Amino acid sequence: MRTLSIEPLSKAAFAPFGEVIETEGSDYFMINNGSTRRYHALAQMQTSAPEDRAIVSIFVARTLPMPLTIRMLERHPLGSQAFVPLRGNPFLIVVAPPGDAPRPEQVRAFLGNGRQGINYQRGVWHHPVLALADDDEFLVIDRSGAGANCDEHFFGEDEQLLLRHP
């Protein structure tokens, strides 16, 4: 079983999977008579049909025991999905490029620093939210509309991956 190495989350490293939502290194302009910096359009929500809507939700997630065996990944073929931590806690991200099925050798793991969010592009394979603090909260922006928008892929026993976080 291959153990995933956890990479720091950065815009360049995460670009094949989506966007990192953060103010660090991002352009802004001043609004509200100069009292507020607006970091504009840090991510673009994707939907597959004109009648789809972007919706905002809050997920409250529990931690999973570590080390964690990665047995499955999911994808959303009809819309992107963004996660923004609300309590400032670091969290883990496990992803694989879009395709018919995720390939274990292409799976990567990242550590968000608690001040960064992520936006998975349509069709990017990812593990469900991986909180590192119990009852952690995430603002989630994703698609609402007709059609099945969650595919799951379960790895065979010889394809499963191990995720360790200290």
Side-chain angles (χ1 to χ4, degrees):
M1 179 180 303
R2 180 171 76 102
T3 300
L4 290 170
S5 59
I6 299 173
E7 306 171 50
L9 183 62
S10 71
K11 290 178 183 181
F14 197 72
F17 312 105
E19 299 140 321
V20 174
I21 303 168
E22 66 180 338
T23 58
E24 184 75 28
S26 297
D27 292 332
Y28 65 89
F29 55 90
M30 300 304 292
I31 61 170
N32 298 335
N33 297 313
S35 67
T36 304
R37 288 182 298 214
R38 179 176 176 146
Y39 293 87
H40 185 72
L42 296 175
Q44 295 184 18
M45 299 310 299
Q46 301 169 324
T47 59
S48 62
E51 62 273 9
D52 291 346
R53 298 175 300 145
I55 60 170
V56 176
S57 305
I58 292 178
F59 289 11
V60 179
R62 290 186 288 186
T63 60
L64 298 175
M66 292 287 168
L68 177 67
T69 300
I70 304 297
R71 294 182 168 87
M72 65 81 69
L73 296 178
E74 66 181 27
R75 69 175 174 183
H76 305 288
L78 302 179
S80 58
Q81 187 177 48
F83 286 83
V84 179
L86 293 178
R87 295 188 175 185
N89 296 317
F91 64 104
L92 293 169
I93 303 137
V94 174
V95 291
D100 290 337
R103 295 180 18 213
E105 67 274 10
Q106 293 184 318
V107 175
R108 292 174 66 184
F110 295 94
L111 177 64
N113 65 19
R115 295 177 313 280
Q116 302 164 299
I118 48 102
N119 183 36
Y120 298 120
Q121 294 172 350
R122 285 176 47 195
V124 164
W125 291 100
H126 60 278
H127 194 278
V129 65
L130 289 168
L132 293 174
D134 262 339
D135 296 323
D136 208 356
E137 295 183 357
F138 296 84
L139 182 80
V140 179
I141 306 166
D142 59 357
R143 171 206 172 268
S144 178
N149 192 31
C150 187
D151 299 330
E152 294 179 334
H153 174 83
F154 290 86
F155 291 113
E157 194 155 326
D158 62 331
E159 297 177 311
Q160 295 176 3
L161 303 156
L162 191 63
L163 181 64
R164 293 184 192 275
H165 183 266

